[in-house]
């Protein structure tokens, strides 16, 4: 079973940057699309970004397009989320998760299509 651990969150001023990492262990990481979701207090868990198993395809939520970049290093079993031009509304707990289907052709963006959720990392953006 894949286990995921997120890191890299913190407190940053608006306009700043953070790089999140998600390290995987215990499974075949390189077979799965990997995703980032976020959840702010009182809100639903929201899709942020995903990257296909081979890194060839990516997808982003509308609210982060042009500011966030997802990448992966299959040799290190790690997926990254580079977050630039951060806004206070980006404040949330950020989670990574793996697709429930390996070698899926398309990128899915609904949380029910992902499992093995990490414990999350808090990102706080001050104005």
């Amino acid at each position: 079973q894949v286990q995921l651990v997120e890191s890299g969150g913190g407190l940053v001023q608006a306009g700043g940057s953070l790089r999140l990492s998600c390290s995987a262990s215990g499974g075949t990481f390189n077979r799965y699309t990997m995703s980032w979701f976020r959840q702010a207090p009182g809100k639903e868990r929201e899709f942020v970004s995903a990257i296909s198993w081979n890194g060839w395809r990516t997808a982003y939520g509308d609210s982060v397009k042009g500011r966030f970049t997802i990448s992966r290093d299959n040799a290190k079993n790690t997926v990254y989320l580079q977050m630039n031009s951060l806004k206070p509304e980006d404040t949330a707990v950020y989670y990574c998760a793996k697709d429930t289907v390996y070698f899926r052709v398309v990128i899915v963006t609904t949380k029910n299509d992902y499992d093995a959720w990490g414990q999350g990392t808090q990102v706080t953006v001050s104005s």
Side-chain angles (χ1 to χ4, degrees):
Q1 296 286 349
V2 173
Q3 294 182 318
L4 303 173
V5 178
E6 303 94 337
S7 61
L11 174 63
V12 64
Q13 289 188 332
S17 298
L18 283 174
R19 189 194 196 202
L20 305 184
S21 299
C22 172
S23 297
S25 62
T28 50
F29 171 82
N30 60 5
R31 295 183 181 181
Y32 296 96
T33 291
M34 297 297 296
S35 68
W36 288 96
F37 284 74
R38 67 187 182 186
Q39 189 165 17
K43 294 189 176 181
E44 292 287 322
R45 192 164 294 192
E46 173 192 22
F47 173 77
V48 175
S49 185
I51 186 166
S52 62
W53 59 273
N54 54 9
W56 291 357
R57 295 180 301 278
T58 58
Y60 296 92
D62 288 342
S63 61
V64 306
K65 282 180 182 176
R67 300 188 297 122
F68 291 10
T69 303
I70 192 170
S71 61
R72 67 188 296 161
D73 185 338
N74 283 346
K76 295 183 178 180
N77 285 354
T78 302
V79 61
Y80 305 97
L81 186 68
Q82 178 66 43
M83 305 186 297
N84 298 329
S85 302
L86 282 162
K87 305 175 182 180
E89 50 263 44
D90 294 318
T91 295
V93 178
Y94 284 70
Y95 299 90
C96 67
K98 60 166 272 295
D99 198 334
T100 56
V101 175
Y102 61 82
F103 297 144
R104 196 193 299 258
V105 174
V106 297
I107 289 182
V108 290
T109 62
T110 56
K111 59 182 183 291
N112 290 340
D113 286 312
Y114 290 91
D115 63 9
W117 297 86
Q119 84 290 347
T121 186
Q122 175 71 47
V123 171
T124 303
V125 184
S126 63
S127 57

